[in-house]
Amino acid sequence: MRLSDLKTGETGVIVKILGHGAFRKRMMEMGFVKGRPLKVLLHAPLRDPIKYLVMGYEVSLRISESHMIEVVKVEEGADTDVSMAVNGDIHSRTEESDEFLSDYTGKSRTINVALLGNPNSGKTSLFNIASGSREHVGNYSGVTVDAKSGHMEYNGYRFNIVDLPGTYSLSSYSPEELYVRKYLKDETPDVIVNVAVASNLERNLYLTTQLIDMDRSMVIALNMYDELRRSGAELDVDMLGQMIGVPMVPVVSKTGEGLKQLFDSVISVYEGRNKAVRHIHVNLGKDVERAIDGIKGILKSDAYIGRHFSPRYIAIKLLERDSEIEDSIMTTPNGNEILATRDRVLAKFEENTGEDICSQIANEKYGFIAGALAETMHEGEKRISDTTRILDAFITNKLFGFPLFFSVMFAIFWATFAIGKYPMEWIENGVSWLSSVVDTTMSEGPLKDLIVEGIIGGVGGVIVFLPNILILYFCISFMEDSGYMSRAAFIMDKIMHRIGLHGKSFIPLVMGFGCNVPAIMASRAIESRSSRIITILINPFMSCSARLPVYVLMAGTFFPAHEAVVFMGLYVLGIIVAVVTARLMRRFYFKKDETPFVMELPPYRVPTLKALVRHMWGKGEQYLRKMGGIILFASIIVWVLNYFPLHSQNNDTTNYDEGRIDVEHDSYLEMAGKAITPIMEPLGFHWRASVAALAGVPAKEIVVSTLGVLYSNDETVSEAKLGHRLTSVSPYTGNPDFTPAAALAFMVFILLYCPCMATVTAIVRECGSWKYGVFTVVYNTVMAWIVAFAVYRIALLF
């Protein structure tokens, strides 16, 4: 916990001082050192600042400053020697009190580690193998769009590990860069693990030079070191680490090679005993250095300006006119003076050199990196494989690129059905068997009906599609991890540009085939605000895996010979509607703005089966958790509304009209369905279909579970499988509830209408306004009705 969390009268033992530079030094000089007990005396009338008792004297700190001190709370009734130590009685120290304080500071054997590196550097792979997490690894920028936390126990320490978004620098250009810098400022990790690709150090170490400017405790993980070895190159790791003042450890994250050595280095850096650690300045040339010195002096005069970042780093960012740093400086008392000094220094630099200072800084840093590598790395005769170049010549070819992409997508959809139908049948038969066992063993009554019709009929109707979900995610994961997804974005950039979007928009849209929520979050990688918002708003038209059970059920029941074609057609329809929507938004609402299409195309890599299975099962686990959570709950609610109110069995049903609300015979759910049927009837929807669509608003998986409940108590149908129930003739109307045309319209409506609540929430959060969420709900539903109506009427002609 932080010192600011202690209440008046409570005592704590200092674990560590966060912060940086002069602030951290000043705190320790005032007695705020590790293992020292202190007591909260009182808060000021406005709750800030706070007065503490430490080493026998009173000192006040603002909440913002006390938040930078980590403590362990001492429980009431603790050793009296501790209280005496708080009061500064040096004679109170005994062997028992030292042991007591040691127990408390022993709880500080926790090291907060931040994984930081370029996109595609393997940070998330390293995070997964270290923490045992199942975070997805995608071979393109923007997969990790938020900080992911995990932990591991090693060598008596607990490591709290945070996987930060991939970023090429620590500027304020992209959302990832801003997020990472804000995290480093607010959280102050004990050690940064800078993950760099060993075979591409010249580009990866540019970020390292910025971390050196920050003067943070750091270890460099030379990831994918096996690729460097295969290339025939030789790298003197120790010498390079000594030159830049940062220890380096070769690792192979996909196998775990070097993991123990990496965390041994983290411990040694944390404890201050790593001999490779030394603070250096990356020399940026005499003109830039003179400009930096011209600003550093005034920055150092205010100790609190540099409590998060070093004065040198702040000075460099001010020279680069970093907007976020400028805003931060303006909050200080001397902000105007500092910026005025910066302007004078910059003007003098430009007058003397006639050059852009940002270019000069970048050139000098890359020169520093090139010089260090020239002394420590030797290229061998064996060169990197030409596999990537050969594959790209075919995959990105103007003749073969698009046909190949659509062939790959069709093959994925075919495999989802063709391979998935066998385990799907096994699960379906198992559900039918369980339903019959419960039906024959339990006595008649509401409880039996609830279990058979509500729980087994609802949840069982959805769980049968688990194999299809797993296959789809396995295939998409392979595309992402192999590097093919980046090529797909590359070949699609011109098309995306013509519809008013950015090439990077393609990746979140394809991710939407898995789940719209992380896909919307991945849109943060798009620098253009207008392109980012348009991408977010059209993403729900990408058919997520939650809709998959509806397609499998309807297509397998009504179009068994053309399942893959129907499946592909739905995905293409969603894309078409998204394109039309994007064009309308770009033309009538958002101004056209141009941002450069700069995206890394990483080398092709063969994903490990372990990584693919881990991600596939991670998604399957989420699906199963939904079975026991929202879908189970929704199934029970749907059953209750469909079961009640109970009506007398003697009611005359001779003149019963299933299309009209009848309080004598209808359940609550049937009455609700019939109430909205006039709106949905032009689409060929029966009241049960209307209810299922309505129930799917919270989560699309509920659509099938609702149908399972609604048809599970239909005593006129003996067949247990839901597909057969959908095609059975109703005794009231003489027609089946669903026809091929109605089933097609139903799938189209489910594809396009209001996204799930989680997606709407993500849209509001990422766009920054609830208006975008309301727009999505209304626009998507209206569009779904129009398109479904057109599809239904056209289908009736055939």
Side-chain angles (χ1 to χ4, degrees):
M1 66 187 300
R2 299 297 173 91
L3 178 57
S4 55
D5 298 326
L6 287 180
K7 298 178 181 178
T8 301
E10 292 182 338
T11 301
V13 177
I14 298 174
V15 169
K16 65 183 73 166
I17 308 296
L18 305 176
H20 181 274
F23 168 79
R24 190 166 183 268
K25 183 180 179 183
R26 180 63 173 161
M27 288 296 99
M28 290 187 290
E29 289 172 349
M30 293 176 66
F32 292 88
V33 295
K34 180 179 177 181
R36 174 64 58 180
L38 50 73
K39 184 176 182 179
V40 184
L41 294 180
L42 59 86
H43 288 69
L46 298 179
R47 306 298 298 169
D48 193 13
I50 307 171
K51 184 166 70 172
Y52 299 96
L53 178 65
V54 59
M55 296 181 66
Y57 73 99
E58 297 177 356
V59 60
S60 67
L61 293 179
R62 292 175 181 164
I63 290 179
S64 59
E65 295 150 10
S66 61
H67 187 71
M68 303 292 287
I69 301 174
E70 195 170 311
V71 299
V72 175
K73 180 182 174 182
V74 176
E75 302 300 332
E76 293 184 13
D79 195 303
T80 56
D81 289 344
V82 176
S83 300
M84 295 176 70
V86 171
N87 288 290
D89 187 349
I90 60 174
H91 302 293
S92 68
R93 292 190 56 176
T94 64
E95 185 176 340
E96 290 77 10
S97 66
D98 285 346
E99 182 179 352
F100 178 87
L101 292 175
S102 177
D103 288 340
Y104 270 89
T105 55
K107 296 178 184 178
S108 70
R109 292 178 68 85
T110 298
I111 304 178
N112 299 318
V113 177
L115 300 183
L116 181 58
N118 290 176
N120 310 311
S121 62
K123 291 184 300 79
T124 304
S125 295
L126 185 62
F127 173 78
N128 285 341
I129 198 164
S131 65
S133 178
R134 294 196 182 98
E135 284 305 322
H136 179 42
V137 183
N139 204 0
Y140 54 84
S141 173
V143 174
T144 307
V145 294
D146 210 339
K148 306 297 189 301
S149 301
H151 69 273
M152 66 173 287
E153 305 285 343
Y154 174 69
N155 203 15
Y157 280 88
R158 176 187 172 92
F159 295 88
N160 292 328
I161 307 172
V162 175
D163 177 25
L164 294 171
T167 179
Y168 293 106
S169 72
L170 295 174
S171 302
S172 56
Y173 180 64
S174 70
E176 288 92 344
E177 293 169 352
L178 289 172
Y179 184 94
V180 170
R181 195 163 67 182
K182 186 176 187 302
Y183 179 88
L184 295 179
K185 174 186 175 182
D186 295 343
E187 301 301 326
T188 317
D190 298 318
V191 180
I192 295 172
V193 174
N194 179 203
V195 184
V197 179
S199 58
N200 191 10
L201 284 177
E202 188 167 6
R203 209 280 313 282
N204 279 245
L205 288 180
Y206 184 80
L207 177 61
T208 306
T209 62
Q210 294 186 320
L211 293 171
I212 290 173
D213 292 336
M214 281 188 175
D215 191 20
R216 292 295 181 88
S217 297
M218 178 169 50
V219 177
I220 297 176
L222 298 174
N223 199 16
M224 306 177 196
Y225 203 77
D226 53 334
E227 294 183 3
L228 180 73
R229 287 194 292 256
R230 285 198 300 269
S231 73
E234 295 180 359
L235 176 65
D236 190 333
V237 176
D238 293 335
M239 182 178 177
L240 181 59
Q242 290 172 3
M243 288 181 67
I244 67 175
V246 182
M248 293 184 164
V249 182
V251 297
V252 182
S253 59
K254 66 181 181 181
T255 63
E257 177 186 339
L259 189 67
K260 290 184 178 180
Q261 292 84 348
L262 174 64
F263 282 94
D264 283 337
S265 293
V266 170
I267 293 172
S268 64
V269 169
Y270 175 73
E271 294 180 345
R273 54 181 175 81
N274 193 297
K275 296 180 180 179
V277 175
R278 64 189 182 93
H279 180 54
I280 68 166
H281 282 172
V282 177
N283 192 299
L284 301 178
K286 63 178 183 179
D287 293 317
V288 178
E289 290 294 337
R290 189 182 298 115
I292 293 173
D293 291 338
I295 304 176
K296 271 173 53 178
I298 192 171
L299 292 176
K300 287 183 177 180
S301 65
D302 188 339
Y304 292 105
I305 286 181
R307 60 179 166 178
H308 296 293
F309 299 128
S310 71
R312 179 178 176 84
Y313 174 79
I314 295 175
I316 292 173
K317 288 303 167 186
L318 284 175
L319 291 172
E320 293 176 339
R321 296 188 182 277
D322 186 291
S323 58
E324 191 193 35
I325 294 295
E326 288 179 346
D327 293 341
S328 177
I329 291 296
M330 284 301 296
T331 62
T332 64
N334 300 325
N336 289 325
E337 183 183 354
I338 292 172
L339 292 182
T341 303
R342 186 277 311 272
D343 293 339
R344 289 195 299 271
V345 168
L346 268 180
K348 188 173 182 179
F349 174 87
E350 292 170 357
E351 179 184 345
N352 293 338
T353 65
E355 295 184 9
D356 174 51
I357 197 167
C358 295
S359 300
Q360 183 76 4
I361 291 172
N363 289 337
E364 292 294 339
K365 287 192 172 185
Y366 276 117
F368 168 81
I369 295 168
L373 292 177
E375 296 187 35
T376 56
M377 178 177 279
H378 304 282
E379 297 286 350
E381 295 182 2
K382 183 180 177 182
R383 290 306 206 184
I384 297 177
S385 172
D386 290 332
T387 302
T388 295
R389 182 176 57 82
I390 295 171
L391 287 175
D392 272 345
F394 181 74
I395 290 174
T396 62
N397 186 277
K398 64 181 180 180
L399 295 178
F400 305 119
F402 290 105
L404 178 62
F405 173 72
F406 288 111
S407 297
V408 168
M409 296 304 295
F410 183 83
I412 290 175
F413 299 147
W414 174 85
T416 300
F417 282 103
I419 300 176
K421 69 179 182 180
Y422 299 106
M424 178 183 169
E425 288 180 358
W426 302 335
I427 298 175
E428 197 170 41
N429 291 333
V431 171
S432 299
W433 172 82
L434 179 62
S435 179
S436 63
V437 168
V438 174
D439 189 43
T440 56
T441 56
M442 289 189 67
S443 58
E444 295 295 330
L447 180 60
K448 173 185 171 180
D449 293 339
L450 170 62
I451 295 175
V452 174
E453 300 168 5
I455 297 176
I456 299 178
V459 177
V462 181
I463 200 172
V464 297
F465 303 107
L466 177 62
N468 308 92
I469 298 288
L470 296 178
I471 292 170
L472 179 64
Y473 269 110
F474 183 89
C475 295
I476 291 180
S477 297
F478 185 88
M479 291 174 63
E480 293 171 345
D481 294 358
S482 65
Y484 178 71
M485 195 70 83
S486 294
R487 272 67 186 186
F490 173 76
I491 65 175
M492 292 295 292
D493 176 60
K494 191 168 186 179
I495 295 177
M496 302 301 292
H497 183 72
R498 286 187 174 179
I499 66 175
L501 291 177
H502 195 279
K504 285 186 178 180
S505 299
F506 181 75
I507 292 174
L509 294 179
V510 174
M511 288 179 66
F513 292 150
C515 180
N516 296 139
V517 174
I520 287 170
M521 295 174 67
S523 300
R524 294 178 188 174
I526 304 169
E527 293 85 0
S528 165
R529 173 170 169 77
S530 63
S531 291
R532 183 166 65 249
I533 292 178
I534 293 174
T535 303
I536 289 171
L537 295 180
I538 67 174
N539 203 288
F541 292 124
M542 302 298 106
S543 185
C544 68
S545 60
R547 299 173 173 98
L548 184 63
V550 180
Y551 305 157
V552 175
L553 172 64
M554 293 295 176
T557 301
F558 295 95
F559 310 100
H562 307 286
E563 290 173 325
V565 175
V566 172
F567 204 90
M568 183 77 173
L570 288 167
Y571 277 72
V572 171
L573 177 62
I575 294 170
I576 292 172
V577 174
V579 168
V580 171
T581 302
R583 289 292 297 165
L584 292 173
M585 289 181 177
R586 181 60 79 184
R587 181 170 183 180
F588 295 109
Y589 191 74
F590 292 100
K591 273 200 214 170
K592 190 171 183 179
D593 61 353
E594 301 287 345
T595 54
F597 178 62
V598 182
M599 186 180 72
E600 181 182 2
L601 295 177
Y604 291 99
R605 296 186 175 99
V606 179
T608 63
L609 181 62
K610 180 180 179 181
L612 294 176
V613 171
R614 174 185 282 172
H615 179 234
M616 177 189 71
W617 180 244
K619 294 301 180 182
E621 194 175 39
Q622 292 179 16
Y623 192 70
L624 289 175
R625 281 201 296 267
K626 281 187 176 181
M627 298 300 104
I630 185 173
I631 293 177
L632 174 61
F633 177 76
S635 297
I636 294 174
I637 295 299
V638 169
W639 176 85
V640 170
L641 294 176
N642 192 48
Y643 191 82
F644 294 100
L646 295 174
H647 297 291
S648 172
Q649 299 299 318
N650 297 323
N651 288 336
D652 182 17
T653 60
T654 305
N655 298 317
Y656 176 63
D657 182 2
E658 205 187 21
R660 179 175 58 83
I661 297 177
D662 187 344
V663 295
E664 295 293 331
H665 302 94
D666 294 346
S667 65
Y668 294 126
L669 199 62
E670 189 170 356
M671 286 186 274
K674 289 179 179 180
I676 63 172
T677 294
I679 301 174
M680 310 304 290
E681 197 170 25
L683 312 182
F685 286 16
H686 184 267
W687 72 264
R688 290 188 178 95
S690 301
V691 168
L694 186 62
V697 171
K700 295 298 177 281
E701 293 92 343
I702 301 176
V703 173
V704 172
S705 67
T706 300
L707 290 174
V709 173
L710 293 175
Y711 284 94
S712 64
N713 63 349
D714 191 344
E715 297 178 358
T716 63
V717 183
S718 59
E719 173 61 52
K721 293 183 178 179
L722 181 55
H724 289 81
R725 292 177 177 270
L726 297 180
T727 57
S728 300
V729 176
S730 169
Y732 304 109
T733 64
N735 298 307
D737 289 347
F738 283 93
T739 62
L744 203 57
F746 185 74
M747 287 187 286
V748 169
F749 188 82
I750 297 301
L751 163 70
L752 301 176
Y753 84 127
C754 166
C756 69
M757 288 298 99
T759 300
V760 174
T761 302
I763 290 172
V764 172
R765 184 173 62 245
E766 295 301 317
C767 293
S769 173
W770 59 267
K771 296 178 182 178
Y772 291 106
V774 173
F775 170 82
T776 298
V777 172
V778 175
Y779 175 84
N780 290 27
T781 304
V782 172
M783 180 64 74
W785 194 96
I786 293 172
V787 178
F789 176 80
V791 168
Y792 179 64
R793 295 302 167 183
I794 294 172
L796 287 177
L797 300 177
F798 298 94

